[in-house]
Amino acid sequence: MAGETRASLLRVAGLKKSFTTPQGRLAILKGVDLELDVGSSLALMGESGSGKSTLLHLIAGLDDADEGEIFLDDVAVTRLPDFGRAALRRETLAVVFQQFNLIPSLTIRANVAFQARLAGRLDPVWREELVGRLGLENLMERYPEQLSGGQQQRVAIARALAPRPRLLLADEPTGNLDEATADDFIKLTTEVVAATGCAFLMITHSKRLAARLERQVTLSSGVIKEL
Amino acid sequence: MTQAFWTFIALVSHWRRHPVNFGALFVGLAIATALWSGVQALNEHARASYDRAASIFGAGGARSIVPTRGGSVSQDLFVKLRLAGWKVSPVLEGTVRIHGKRFRLIGIEPVTLPREAGVAVVAGEGALGAFLKPPGRMIVTPETLRELSAAESVAIVIDGGKTLPPIEALAAALPGALVVDIGVAQAVLNRPEQISRLIFKEPPSAVAPPLATVAGDALRLVPPREEESDIRRLTESFHLNLTAFGLLACLVGFFIVHAAFGLAFEQRLAMVRTMRAVGVSARTLIVAMLGELALLALVAGSAGVGAGYLLAAALLPDMAASLDGLYGARVAGQLALDPMWWISGLGIAVIGSLVAAGGGLFKAFYLPVLMAAQPFAWRQVQQKFLWRRSVLGALGIAAFLVAHFYGKGLYAAFGMIAGLLLGAALLLPLLLDGVLRLGEKYASQPLAQWFWADCRQQLPGLSLALMALLLALSTNVGVGAMVEGFRKTFTQWLDERLVAEVYFEVAGNAETQQIEAWLEKRPEVSAILPMSKIKIRLGGWPVDIVGMKPHETYRNHFPMLSETGDAWGELQRGEGALVSEQLARRLDLALGSTLDVPAADGQWRVRIAGIFPDYGNPKGQLRIDIDRLMRLWPETPRMGYSLRTAPKAVPELIDALQTEFGQQISQISDQAAIKNLSMRIFERTFAVTAALNLLTLLVAGIALLANFLTLGNVRLAQLAPVWAVGVSRMRLAQLEFLRVLLLAAVTSAFALPLGLALAWQLVAVVNVQAFGWRLPFHVFPAQLGQTVALALLTAAAAAIWPIIRFVRITPAALAKVFANER
């Protein structure tokens, strides 16, 4: 990728966020600056409680920042109302959580199609391709509880990528998986992400897995540092 | 639209995976709707029947002229009015018995009858000819035809031997009435040349003299809608009582909806978070949830309205018998309902669901996305509502106190009950929490400590179902105590009131002297107690003035609430009158008050010498000496007699009377038969209440079951750690059962004083306002014990299935809880 110029997709500038605790206000993010280009991948590392998930939630529009700006495709996420942020999550980005967060009452087929249907852009050919690449063909009529953790996380990835998002956010997606399954998962995910051309931001504690992505940064004392 | 649709599909898919929870919600909603719409169906149907009955003479602007002092007048007055230019048509009304059953007989003169009058059911020349030409026709509704157990064209013989004309059934006829030609009615009722009403449509001609000039004060013009408002006013309390019970049962049903929807929301928190995370806006989520709720309300509401119809049809015979027995109001036996009833039933289901689940939707809208990710955030929020709920409860109790001290009338009385019940129900979680805190404080063993703490933890999830149980139990105690107290008082009152051994009514005035003479010669008859009755209006209310003989029998037995020292002496001297409790309340009469009664020759002023209880009689009653009554209203016929005789002589005396006088005696019974009949009317009056009472408890049981089932999976996660540290599944199941019994027992302990307070409200306030009589307040310890047992049984029945499910769960399934731990 060296030498190749890619347009900027995500730009975070001077982002601050603090929480009220019994001991008073606790500043988690103290002015985060971060950029992510179209189609690139980034591993976000840091100690527990350093604010990685908070940063991801702010980027996804799941929470409000105290200060600073987040631009996604030149859209100021921080200034969008709830409805606009929901549209952004539906159409521009996708989130994968550590707990998979599949809808327990829907079959795997319905789960995979869910977000794409919401966005109004379900492409059956692309869905089948995703299902094939992620090895979910024989699981489509099952329910989430009938799948192993690794299988559920693959379904979560399929659901996230089905609407062809511009940015995939993953919050410790391998936290509940064993090492071999985690390796498998990262390999598959990076391949599929590369095939779609979407950018990928992953929170992880594993340096080994982080090394599989293009860039690695750490969040420490409320600011981003390149590794 | 696409978003809302797929969000809706995802939300609805939850129910497919949780069919039992869906069933509880569906049944709760359907039962709530059924109870409400069932009761409304009964009320609507009865009111429609009253309107039809009232319009029989008054429809289309037709007016009535009736005898001022009730009863009937000579038809010469009809002739005089016609000659004077009044285009009136004569009617004679009376009662006949057929196989012991009372029917209203109406004699009309179809040629002069205004066509607009509801009773004008004879139309067309052929029909008119058949009606007038001997043997004539008797027009009835198809339902009355069934009640008569007869077929069309059959001529029925009434009790007493007279034959009615052949029957013709017409749907437009009056429910419960037999319409014949006036000549036939005069013969059958043994009232020749008599009329009881004149109907006219067209105003009298300009030259016609006023009514008083032609008829003196013998006739009066009935104000429009007077008769309709009489029956409506008399039965209003009955229907209001029914509505109140229906509303309470419906409220308990909506508690289920509230609890079930709230718990379902909790179960779906993770799903909501996921949906929000993948791009469903809060607005779309609420729209989808509202759509889900509306669809559920429509489907379950339709089932509920259908069930309500069946419930109403099942309860209709009892209600019709009560209304007939208590008020003489005839209600058609076949339910016929307006389409508006169906629509309003569905409306109640939709509005009730929105109100019951609306709070949850509101909270869902404002619950932050990330907050929703935390398990049981709903409950955490709910905890905050505990105090708010308690404040609302305190407001309910305050409303009760305000209504108690400052309220007046039946609506205030029901407002008082609503404030008390809702206030107490809202305070229940706080009270339970206090009791459980105490238990926790004094528990020393670790398992016991866990048990009490766990009970407290369960409170928010179970509080709504326990509130429903509290309402159902306290209603059970309250209504049960009221009905039992009424039964006890009513039985004692009947024993005192019905001391004579034989009672009979006479068919006409002419033969009474013969009958009395014959009775005086009978050695076994120790006393002949005649009774006459006249209907008047006092203070706008229909009142019966009953003439009685102040005989020793009455002096010693007639039950009184209060009396002057010489009440019977005053009565005998014609100076005093006895007034029924309800009339005394309506006219604000006390002992020693004077009352002006419109008599045939002017106002008669009488002193109140005694106030007597007259349970079950919606009309006011004034009892005076029979000789005084005959002097004041000389035309009044003897109505009936009570006879004192040795009990063993009763059958022979009845036989002899019937043999001697045949059809002159219209109704004869011994004391036991009359008591039986009265008790039967009493039991049927409360049959509807008892059925609603039982259904309310059933609904509370369903609420508990729904909660236990919905909480089942959550419980597994809470019990598994205790199981993992060495407490067996069986022991945990026993503790689960104990927990349920404990909560039910504490709830019922609160329900007992609340129920007794409700009973007191019913006997001392509602009955007084609704019926005009106050009952003594009784406490029945056995009934209270039975209620506690019922509470435990309901809770145990609701808990047993989830507990069996837990006992049967495999260790592997329990261990899975830890595998999914996050």
Side-chain angles (χ1 to χ4, degrees):
Chain A
M1 302 267 178
E4 199 178 310
T5 311
R6 289 189 288 196
S8 172
L9 175 71
L10 171 73
R11 187 162 61 82
V12 178
L15 199 66
K16 290 183 183 173
K17 176 75 182 174
S18 56
F19 292 102
T20 304
T21 68
Q23 287 77 39
R25 291 292 287 179
L26 176 67
I28 295 286
L29 305 179
K30 296 174 182 168
V32 169
D33 297 308
L34 181 71
E35 282 211 33
L36 188 64
D37 293 337
V38 172
S40 67
S41 65
L42 172 76
L44 175 62
M45 301 178 72
E47 288 174 3
S48 294
S50 59
K52 304 182 295 294
S53 293
T54 304
L55 175 58
L56 187 134
H57 290 155
L58 291 173
I59 294 171
L62 293 169
D63 203 354
D64 293 315
D66 296 339
E67 267 181 57
E69 294 280 12
I70 300 168
F71 291 97
L72 185 62
D73 251 355
D74 292 328
V75 173
V77 178
T78 38
R79 291 181 211 163
L80 287 174
D82 177 77
F83 199 74
R85 290 187 208 180
L88 196 78
R89 286 196 298 277
R90 208 161 54 232
E91 290 155 12
T92 311
L93 59 84
V95 192
V96 175
F97 297 94
Q98 184 180 351
Q99 289 89 15
F100 326 131
N101 286 339
L102 301 178
I103 294 175
S105 47
L106 295 181
T107 60
I108 299 307
R109 182 181 300 283
N111 262 289
V112 169
F114 188 67
Q115 190 171 351
R117 277 178 169 152
L118 284 179
R121 51 163 101 126
L122 175 67
D123 175 355
V125 178
W126 170 234
R127 182 183 60 181
E128 289 315 307
E129 191 184 330
L130 269 175
V131 165
R133 280 177 185 242
L134 292 164
L136 300 171
E137 299 98 324
N138 300 323
L139 308 174
M140 298 303 274
E141 302 313 321
R142 294 195 195 175
Y143 285 93
E145 72 202 31
Q146 297 167 317
L147 268 55
S148 70
Q151 288 171 327
Q152 286 193 50
Q153 199 57 299
R154 277 188 277 148
V155 176
I157 287 289
R159 180 183 68 191
L161 295 177
R164 293 181 184 273
R166 305 261 290 143
L167 170 65
L168 175 65
L169 301 171
D171 189 357
E172 292 193 56
T174 57
N176 279 339
L177 307 179
D178 62 62
E179 212 166 82
T181 313
D183 277 342
D184 246 12
F185 170 78
I186 291 297
K187 181 174 173 286
L188 270 173
T189 307
T190 46
E191 278 174 18
V192 179
V193 164
T196 61
C198 100
F200 181 31
L201 192 160
M202 177 177 77
I203 292 174
T204 180
H205 283 289
S206 165
K207 284 184 181 165
R208 191 173 51 80
L209 294 178
R212 308 271 291 267
L213 272 57
E214 291 173 10
R215 270 172 70 204
Q216 296 80 32
V217 295
T218 182
L219 183 60
S220 175
S221 305
V223 291
I224 292 283
K225 289 170 188 163
E226 292 280 343
L227 287 177
Chain B
M1 213 39 214
T2 316
Q3 273 182 68
F5 174 74
W6 290 111
T7 307
F8 172 80
I9 294 292
L11 284 171
V12 170
S13 69
H14 169 83
W15 302 115
R16 206 173 52 220
R17 303 279 287 161
H18 299 87
V20 178
N21 298 355
F22 176 76
L25 187 60
F26 186 91
V27 168
L29 195 49
I31 287 185
T33 314
L35 288 172
W36 172 255
S37 54
V39 165
Q40 287 314 309
L42 288 173
N43 284 343
E44 283 302 311
H45 178 69
R47 286 188 186 125
S49 293
Y50 305 153
D51 288 348
R52 215 161 142 205
S55 70
I56 205 75
F57 298 117
R63 301 279 304 269
S64 281
I65 295 170
V66 295
T68 310
R69 288 172 287 279
S72 50
V73 291
S74 165
Q75 70 182 31
D76 292 346
L77 277 173
F78 157 64
V79 179
K80 274 191 192 171
L81 278 167
R82 288 290 298 196
L83 291 173
W86 286 72
K87 289 176 181 164
V88 289
S89 178
V91 173
L92 178 65
E93 301 146 88
T95 305
V96 292
R97 286 181 192 269
I98 298 167
H99 310 308
K101 237 174 171 176
R102 279 185 320 120
F103 289 88
R104 184 178 178 193
L105 185 76
I106 301 174
I108 57 168
E109 201 289 289
V111 179
T112 54
L113 194 67
R115 266 180 304 167
E116 293 82 358
V119 77
V121 288
V122 188
E125 285 206 0
L128 191 64
F131 189 79
L132 292 172
K133 220 169 78 188
R137 286 277 184 274
M138 179 169 81
I139 314 290
V140 299
T141 62
E143 289 152 23
T144 309
L145 184 67
R146 275 194 295 277
E147 266 188 82
L148 289 165
S149 313
E152 284 208 67
S153 307
V154 169
I156 288 184
V157 179
I158 63 166
D159 298 357
K162 288 182 176 165
T163 305
L164 292 166
I167 305 173
E168 186 180 339
L170 286 177
L174 170 68
L178 320 174
V179 179
V180 294
D181 176 66
I182 191 164
V184 174
Q186 287 169 335
V188 168
L189 294 170
N190 206 12
R191 281 149 75 181
E193 316 266 296
Q194 296 283 300
I195 53 168
S196 61
R197 180 184 297 267
L198 290 159
I199 305 177
F200 69 99
K201 173 72 188 354
E202 290 171 45
S205 64
V207 291
L211 183 65
T213 312
V214 186
D217 68 345
L219 296 173
R220 72 179 178 94
L221 192 62
V222 178
R225 306 187 75 83
E226 177 189 271
E227 285 161 313
E228 182 189 348
S229 63
D230 268 358
I231 193 75
R232 272 187 177 266
R233 198 154 44 151
L234 290 175
T235 55
E236 190 191 318
S237 310
F238 181 89
H239 292 296
L240 191 57
N241 269 326
L242 208 57
T243 304
F245 283 112
L247 194 63
L248 183 72
C250 177
L251 197 70
V252 174
F254 281 121
F255 264 82
I256 300 185
V257 179
H258 188 48
F261 212 77
L263 288 169
F265 181 77
E266 185 178 283
Q267 281 183 330
R268 295 194 291 191
L269 268 182
M271 185 202 276
V272 168
R273 183 221 183 176
T274 303
M275 289 199 286
R276 296 283 281 120
V278 299
V280 176
S281 67
R283 212 185 322 169
T284 307
L285 188 68
I286 296 299
V287 167
M289 282 176 134
L290 275 174
E292 180 194 33
L293 192 65
L295 183 71
L296 184 74
L298 283 175
V299 176
S302 301
V305 172
Y309 182 87
L310 296 177
L311 179 73
L315 294 177
L316 184 63
D318 279 329
M319 189 195 73
S322 306
L323 287 167
D324 190 17
L326 283 174
Y327 307 101
R330 295 301 294 248
V331 172
Q334 201 90 36
L335 266 185
L337 296 162
D338 198 63
M340 268 315 285
W341 172 80
W342 298 91
I343 295 165
S344 69
L346 282 179
I348 277 286
V350 172
I351 292 167
S353 307
L354 285 176
V355 171
L361 294 177
F362 185 77
K363 280 177 237 162
F365 189 77
Y366 286 103
L367 210 61
V369 184
L370 291 175
M371 176 85 167
Q374 294 167 17
F376 309 128
W378 169 264
R379 192 166 300 165
Q380 286 167 7
V381 176
Q382 190 103 323
Q383 286 283 24
K384 290 180 191 168
F385 286 127
L386 186 69
W387 279 106
R388 284 187 208 171
R389 206 171 268 178
S390 304
V391 169
L392 279 177
L395 285 176
I397 299 289
F400 157 71
L401 291 173
V402 169
H404 180 72
F405 288 111
Y406 302 105
K408 217 175 168 190
L410 196 53
Y411 286 95
F414 278 115
M416 203 150 62
I417 288 178
L420 178 69
L421 286 181
L422 282 175
L426 288 164
L427 285 171
L428 178 72
L430 192 72
L431 294 170
L432 283 171
D433 193 59
V435 171
L436 297 175
R437 262 178 208 275
L438 265 179
E440 198 178 348
K441 191 177 165 190
Y442 291 106
S444 52
Q445 297 297 314
L447 196 59
Q449 280 175 343
W450 168 80
F451 173 78
W452 288 103
D454 181 66
C455 283
R456 279 188 62 206
Q457 196 191 348
Q458 297 311 305
L459 257 191
L462 285 175
S463 66
L464 280 167
L466 290 171
M467 283 156 75
L469 184 67
L470 179 83
L471 287 179
L473 287 175
S474 48
T475 311
N476 219 287
V477 171
V479 176
M482 189 265 284
V483 173
E484 274 310 303
F486 197 1
R487 183 177 285 122
K488 191 175 172 179
T489 311
F490 191 68
T491 314
Q492 279 171 359
W493 174 76
L494 274 183
D495 286 344
E496 290 169 352
R497 184 88 174 248
L498 300 175
V499 284
E501 285 73 21
V502 176
Y503 296 83
F504 69 92
E505 288 172 21
V506 288
N509 196 21
E511 301 86 348
T512 53
Q513 285 172 350
Q514 284 174 33
I515 295 171
E516 282 178 30
W518 183 85
L519 283 168
E520 272 161 17
K521 283 183 202 150
R522 301 287 298 191
E524 73 270 36
V525 178
S526 58
I528 305 160
L529 308 171
M531 199 264 284
S532 283
K533 191 158 80 175
I534 184 160
K535 290 174 186 170
I536 62 161
R537 297 183 76 83
L538 281 177
W541 286 87
V543 173
D544 287 337
I545 296 188
V546 176
M548 66 194 289
K549 204 170 171 179
H551 186 261
E552 282 305 306
T553 301
Y554 295 126
R555 289 174 187 257
N556 296 335
H557 298 283
F558 193 79
M560 294 279 242
L561 293 171
S562 57
E563 57 188 302
T564 56
D566 184 29
W568 294 99
E570 287 185 51
L571 194 80
Q572 194 158 24
R573 292 192 294 276
E575 298 161 2
L578 308 179
V579 64
S580 69
E581 185 188 4
Q582 42 271 55
L583 185 62
R585 285 187 199 279
R586 267 177 213 152
L587 302 183
D588 200 17
L589 297 171
L591 283 186
S593 310
T594 54
L595 180 67
D596 289 326
V597 180
D601 54 357
Q603 295 283 327
W604 174 52
R605 177 160 287 192
V606 65
R607 210 168 82 92
I608 303 303
I611 299 173
F612 62 95
D614 197 18
Y615 305 122
N617 188 356
K619 285 188 188 172
Q621 206 178 76
L622 198 67
R623 288 195 169 233
I624 62 171
D625 177 63
I626 192 163
D627 296 334
R628 166 65 61 176
L629 184 136
M630 296 313 291
R631 279 201 295 277
L632 289 168
W633 293 279
E635 301 295 314
T636 314
R638 287 279 202 261
M639 290 288 292
Y641 292 86
S642 309
L643 304 177
R644 299 304 315 266
T645 184
K648 59 182 178 188
V650 169
E652 206 180 304
L653 179 61
I654 289 177
D655 280 351
L657 262 165
Q658 282 177 320
T659 313
E660 185 69 25
F661 297 103
Q663 53 182 274
Q664 291 182 36
I665 292 170
S666 65
Q667 180 73 13
I668 186 160
S669 338
D670 59 20
Q671 190 193 78
I674 292 213
K675 278 187 187 168
N676 253 339
L677 179 73
S678 304
M679 283 313 289
R680 229 177 23 242
I681 291 172
F682 176 89
E683 295 298 345
R684 294 196 83 169
T685 300
F686 289 102
V688 180
T689 312
L692 287 176
N693 215 359
L694 194 70
L695 282 170
T696 310
L697 197 64
L698 186 74
V699 171
I702 293 172
L704 272 175
L705 176 67
N707 265 35
F708 291 142
L709 288 172
T710 313
L711 289 171
N713 292 335
V714 179
R715 282 305 284 156
L716 210 58
Q718 289 164 345
L719 294 175
V722 190
W723 165 76
V725 297
V727 182
S728 70
R729 272 179 300 155
M730 189 47 82
R731 182 87 183 111
L732 282 172
Q734 286 166 355
L735 288 172
E736 277 293 276
F737 199 59
L738 186 65
R739 179 176 63 91
V740 171
L741 292 185
L742 175 79
L743 290 173
V746 178
T747 304
S748 61
F750 287 129
L752 296 186
L754 183 63
L756 290 177
L758 174 66
W760 186 83
Q761 289 292 323
L762 288 172
V763 300
V765 184
V766 172
N767 270 331
V768 176
Q769 297 289 347
F771 304 111
W773 60 71
R774 182 173 177 158
L775 297 166
F777 179 64
H778 295 284
V779 176
F780 301 92
Q783 189 217 11
L784 298 184
Q786 197 186 339
T787 304
V788 174
L790 209 59
L792 297 180
L793 201 70
T794 306
I800 200 79
W801 183 23
I803 288 174
I804 288 173
R805 271 204 333 187
F806 174 73
V807 173
R808 283 187 178 166
I809 204 165
T810 59
L814 266 173
K816 214 174 164 185
V817 169
F818 304 110
N820 289 334
E821 205 171 53
R822 284 157 195 170

